[in-house]
Amino acid sequence: MTSLLQSDARKIYEKYVDEQSRHSIGLPRRISMSITQRIDGEKADDDIFNEAQEFVYHLFKLRYFDEFKQSLQYKRHELDVLQSNFDLEDLMYSQDLLPIIMEVVEGDSDRNRVQFVLAVHTFEDSSDVTDSDLESDAMAIYERYISLQARMPIEISDVSRTQIESLICTPEGKPCRNCFGTAKKSSISLLTRKYRDAVNGSSSFRDYINDLHLSIENTIELPFLNNRRGRGDSHSGNSSSNGTTISLPRSNEYLERRWNTSTTSTTVTPTINSPRSSRLAEVDELGRYRPLYDNSLVAARKEGKLKERLRKYVDKNGVREEEMADEVARSIIADVIAST
């Protein structure tokens, strides 16, 4: 089994990690060098590609997931989920569906559970925080919902509380990212049992389903001229044979610095002489400059991620105004094109 593991690891390395391979995914230098050393030292085991796999997951999430959620395919998937035996967790992370849950949830304890689930989800999903920030966020959740002096307590056993405390105060000096995992799952299970039928029968939920169904029926997918993954796009030359878009190593290394939560400062040398190329920005049909990389770190972080996430679910006026402005702009552009 060891021999087979070494052989499989080397095949994966030669195809996707080796910079000379035409299928190379352009991993950051720190990650690729770590894999190379373990391959050369015959020390490959079943977790050798875990860090690279997690990096690629975050890359796709940051670059493509928001765009995918606007697609017709995602709307069809959402409709299938909502018309099946869904968990309340499927609805909690949507700023459109969360208010429907809050309409039927009764009692301060259950409302606290909803907020606890959202806070833990944000905590687990954060990818650009230091160990110090991770510890600060973990303690904020603990003091607000778990401790004996919690301001918004949720019902939890002493055994679970002790387990959470041990996972926050680890020998390594930083909390485990899944330290609230058990409490989160039990909260979701309890809320689902109590309120799924109420949500499914609410008029707001049925209206949302009907609007989604009409949106799917009335949507006509047209080719997007500025689609960076289109055939005529220069970026499409960076795709492997299976259609996966290969990202620019320098952009990947920027993401790696953003995603890596280690407090140790690591110098990353960008790959200059890369055989691949990619556009880092484009101008969309409304004439707006649109980065094709994550540039969220350009703006100063003024408040905590948890507060930002909760505000996202509550304050939607700005989003609606922006959508209306886009629609007006598109109408004007369509009139100009039609007249010429």
Side-chain angles (χ1 to χ4, degrees):
M1 291 299 295
T2 302
S3 176
L4 289 174
L5 185 63
Q6 295 286 346
S7 175
D8 289 343
R10 183 167 292 278
K11 288 179 181 178
I12 295 174
Y13 169 83
E14 291 174 350
K15 183 171 183 178
Y16 298 110
V17 181
D18 188 351
E19 293 181 358
Q20 303 306 315
S21 170
R22 68 186 185 92
H23 296 286
S24 173
I25 60 177
L27 289 171
R29 183 63 58 84
R30 182 184 63 82
I31 298 178
S32 62
M33 287 299 296
S34 174
I35 296 174
T36 301
Q37 292 173 0
R38 295 173 68 176
I39 290 288
D40 292 343
E42 300 291 329
K43 296 180 180 179
D45 50 30
D46 56 5
D47 67 347
I48 184 173
F49 298 110
N50 283 6
E51 189 175 14
Q53 186 180 38
E54 188 175 358
F55 172 81
V56 173
Y57 168 82
H58 282 283
L59 175 70
F60 273 71
K61 181 178 179 181
L62 288 170
R63 284 192 171 184
Y64 307 118
F65 188 57
D66 286 341
E67 181 178 338
F68 169 68
K69 287 192 292 186
Q70 305 302 320
S71 68
L72 184 61
Q73 288 81 3
Y74 182 81
K75 291 180 180 179
R76 289 170 176 164
H77 169 70
E78 183 182 6
L79 184 63
D80 289 341
V81 170
L82 296 180
Q83 289 181 330
S84 62
N85 193 25
F86 60 84
D87 288 331
L88 238 61
E89 186 180 13
D90 297 327
L91 281 61
M92 285 185 186
Y93 307 141
S94 168
Q95 68 180 80
D96 295 320
L97 292 169
L98 180 61
I100 299 176
I101 297 178
M102 300 307 293
E103 286 180 3
V104 302
V105 171
E106 300 175 350
D108 291 339
S109 178
D110 286 343
R111 293 191 184 96
N112 293 346
R113 285 188 182 276
V114 173
Q115 295 189 40
F116 170 73
V117 170
L118 293 175
V120 173
H121 174 70
T122 301
F123 172 78
E124 294 175 341
D125 199 47
S126 58
S127 59
D128 60 341
V129 295
T130 63
D131 290 345
S132 177
D133 289 335
L134 198 67
E135 181 181 0
S136 176
D137 287 345
M139 289 304 302
I141 296 174
Y142 174 81
E143 292 172 356
R144 189 180 185 89
Y145 302 104
I146 304 298
S147 74
L148 295 175
Q149 295 81 28
R151 290 171 294 162
M152 303 175 64
I154 62 173
E155 296 180 6
I156 188 171
S157 67
D158 292 337
V159 174
S160 297
R161 182 179 293 106
T162 302
Q163 181 188 39
I164 291 173
E165 292 171 352
S166 65
L167 291 174
I168 293 177
C169 304
T170 63
E172 291 77 15
K174 63 179 181 179
C176 295
R177 197 172 288 270
N178 64 343
C179 55
F180 300 105
T182 302
K184 174 188 170 185
K185 289 180 181 179
S186 63
S187 294
I188 292 172
S189 178
L190 184 147
L191 292 170
T192 298
R193 290 196 307 269
K194 291 181 67 174
Y195 298 111
R196 179 170 56 193
D197 291 342
V199 169
N200 198 26
S202 70
S203 58
S204 299
F205 184 73
R206 303 316 306 171
D207 289 342
Y208 182 88
I209 293 292
N210 292 334
D211 290 343
L212 183 60
H213 194 274
L214 289 174
S215 175
I216 294 173
E217 287 186 342
N218 296 328
T219 298
I220 301 176
E221 285 193 305
L222 298 176
F224 181 35
L225 296 178
N226 290 329
N227 191 332
R228 60 182 178 274
R229 291 182 295 281
R231 291 184 178 180
D233 196 291
S234 61
H235 194 78
S236 62
N238 300 332
S239 297
S240 63
S241 58
N242 63 359
T244 302
T245 302
I246 301 303
S247 52
L248 184 67
R250 183 178 299 179
S251 178
N252 280 10
E253 289 168 0
Y254 164 80
L255 172 62
E256 196 269 348
R257 292 194 297 271
R258 180 185 189 279
W259 162 68
N260 186 10
T261 59
S262 174
T263 56
T264 303
S265 176
T266 303
T267 302
V268 182
T269 304
T271 303
I272 302 298
N273 300 321
S274 170
R276 299 176 295 277
S277 63
S278 173
R279 292 181 296 123
L280 296 182
E282 67 182 7
V283 177
D284 66 11
E285 73 274 14
L286 298 182
R288 297 172 301 189
Y289 177 83
R290 178 186 179 191
L292 300 184
Y293 57 91
D294 184 81
N295 65 341
S296 60
L297 290 184
V298 175
R301 180 176 171 183
K302 297 182 179 179
E303 55 187 8
K305 292 177 66 65
L306 299 178
K307 186 179 293 184
E308 290 177 0
R309 179 60 61 90
L310 292 176
R311 176 177 293 177
K312 169 187 172 184
Y313 289 115
V314 176
D315 185 8
K316 298 186 290 183
N317 291 334
V319 177
R320 291 173 178 170
E321 291 176 0
E322 183 179 350
E323 291 176 350
M324 292 176 62
D326 288 349
E327 290 300 323
V328 172
R330 288 190 178 92
S331 298
I332 294 174
I333 293 173
D335 291 342
V336 172
I337 294 175
S339 63
T340 56

